[in-house]
Amino acid sequence: MTQTSAPQQGSKQATDKNAIRPFQVNVPETELTDLRRRIHATKWPERETVSDASQGVQLATTQKLARYWTEYDWRKCEAKLNALPQFITEIDGLDIHFIRVRSKHEKALPIIVTHGWPGSIIEQLKIIGPLTDPTAHGGTAEDAFDVVIPSLPGHGFSGKPTATGWDPIRIARAWIVLMKRLGYKRFVAQGGDWGNAVTEQMALQRPPELIGIHTNMPATLPADVAKALQFGEPPPAGLSAEEKGAWDQLDFFYKHGLGYAQEMANRPQTLYGIADSPIGLAAWTLDHDARSQALIARVFDGKPEGLTRDDILDNVTLYWLTNTAVSSARLYWESKLAFFAPKGVPVPAAVSAFPDEIYTAPRSWTEKAYPKLIHYNRLPKGGHFAAWEQPKLFSEEVRVAFRSLR
């Protein structure tokens, strides 16, 4: 199965464009054999000329990943996905794939959770149980959610746009249609990375059904801070210690971490190499932010910290098997939003600030950015892929965040 063939097959079976069709993953063994062949055939560069990761993902890390990838069993991930209710439905001319798990508890609050790049639905699998069945994970029945996890257009098993226009604003419209199509009259939304951009745009479109949002990567950057970062100026005077810490994180990211985003925002079609080489794809996705990269390097050194080698390869292999390296990159080209700038979200908003995120949003910036802030918490651990890396903390945050809205 490939990203295009499964949705197309479903489309033939559907007589109604609004139909919700069951979906299962079934990758032909030939594709897995070809993947291993390509890994074995990798043409390696020489090692970096420094003793750290300042030149990028280190050769030793990538070769450890490659060795494990040749032994890795995709079928375990496939079985995990197929154990969940998955569906395809056409929205605005595009097939959208999603997982939908309903809670056994009455009055469960519907939530739509959106991943980012280089993530996927794999990021959210660990939070499905704690959110839908909180009594089995240290919570109460009153904290239960019905969980909907869609794949962004051009990602995973969703369709690939064949024309321009699928930016976070359009995706937000599609997500609202999806939740209404599922029959929800009242729901909340959650996201980080692109998931935050989409979630905030849902709020800005003000559907009456959307009663609140939660984000683990908030957009809070004051205008003077954003300007100073953009032009390489010193930090504005008068920053508190917490704000200066966020400045330092952002200053590093602007100077050393934005390369991948700039390339995808300007020239996504040029990235043929990551569509043709699994190792090229893996290295590109690992190099998202320095702290995530360091964590993943430690995992392949045998020190799992929330993520395992299988977690990481489940995600990269999904990108490979669906051939979505370039189609997912186009979202950066499509979006014209200022990623970290406040958007004036008009609905109740909750923020969880993780210490190893690209930046840990200070309370002061957050309170100004979200006029209806209902929850703010700084977590003791966790980074950019919070739901994936720290599912217990993340799930507890989501429960607390929306408690006042039930």
Side-chain angles (χ1 to χ4, degrees), residues 12 18 86 101 131 154 188 220 227 242 247 279 327:
K12 292 174 186 175
N18 294 340
Q86 298 178 82
V101 182
L131 294 183
V188 294
T220 69
K227 176 179 175 292
E242 189 180 46
W247 164 275
I279 296 302
S327 59

Side-chain angles (χ1 to χ4, degrees), residues 86-371:
Q86 298 178 82
F87 305 92
I88 296 276
T89 192
E90 183 182 324
I91 301 176
D92 197 7
L94 194 70
D95 276 340
I96 300 298
H97 165 266
F98 63 97
I99 295 169
R100 182 195 190 189
V101 182
R102 290 187 252 198
S103 176
K104 66 181 180 182
H105 298 292
E106 290 185 23
K107 299 182 181 178
L109 180 61
I111 184 171
I112 183 167
V113 185
T114 309
H115 67 83
W117 186 96
S120 66
I121 54 170
I122 301 295
E123 276 187 80
Q124 279 85 32
L125 296 184
K126 297 176 188 176
I127 63 171
I128 293 173
L131 294 183
T132 59
D133 190 11
T135 56
H137 296 85
T140 65
E142 290 74 27
D143 286 328
F145 292 86
D146 280 355
V147 175
V148 177
I149 305 171
S151 296
L152 288 168
H155 295 65
F157 302 113
S158 281
K160 299 176 184 179
T162 57
T164 60
W166 277 96
D167 63 358
I169 299 168
R170 187 171 178 180
I171 296 170
R173 284 199 298 269
W175 276 200
I176 294 165
V177 170
L178 174 60
M179 293 302 277
K180 289 182 179 181
R181 188 171 294 176
L182 293 174
Y184 294 127
K185 308 295 185 188
R186 189 172 181 268
F187 63 87
V188 294
Q190 196 288 326
D193 195 85
W194 283 120
N196 174 67
V198 171
T199 297
E200 291 193 340
Q201 290 303 315
M202 291 175 71
L204 291 170
Q205 292 169 30
R206 294 179 181 246
E209 297 85 357
L210 180 62
I211 62 170
I213 69 167
H214 172 268
T215 177
N216 53 290
M217 188 180 167
T220 69
L221 219 55
D224 59 340
V225 173
K227 176 179 175 292
L229 287 165
Q230 181 180 357
F231 294 105
E233 298 171 356
L239 295 182
S240 68
E242 189 180 46
E243 293 166 346
K244 182 59 167 56
W247 164 275
D248 290 340
Q249 289 176 310
L250 283 161
D251 187 46
F252 179 88
F253 183 69
Y254 271 64
K255 289 175 179 173
H256 305 291
L258 265 176
Y260 75 92
Q262 291 169 335
E263 177 65 15
M264 294 194 291
N266 286 285
R267 313 288 284 178
Q269 192 64 33
T270 297
L271 297 172
Y272 295 96
I274 62 173
D276 184 61
S277 165
I279 296 302
L281 173 65
W284 186 260
T285 58
L286 262 58
D287 201 3
H288 175 271
D289 67 279
R291 295 186 186 196
S292 295
Q293 182 187 330
L295 174 113
I296 291 169
R298 292 193 295 273
V299 170
F300 282 99
D301 279 337
K303 305 168 188 172
E305 301 175 45
L307 296 180
T308 67
R309 294 181 299 178
D310 278 7
D311 285 334
I312 295 155
L313 289 179
D314 286 347
N315 186 60
V316 179
T317 306
L318 177 62
Y319 271 86
W320 177 261
L321 295 173
T322 55
N323 192 21
T324 48
V326 172
S327 59
S328 63
R330 291 196 189 104
L331 183 52
Y332 286 81
W333 187 92
E334 290 284 358
S335 181
K336 304 300 183 285
L337 300 174
F339 212 87
F340 296 125
K343 308 299 188 297
V345 170
V347 303
V351 170
S352 299
F354 287 86
D356 290 331
E357 182 53 272
I358 290 174
Y359 81 105
T360 308
R363 179 185 286 273
S364 56
W365 295 357
T366 304
E367 288 173 344
K368 291 175 184 175
Y370 296 93

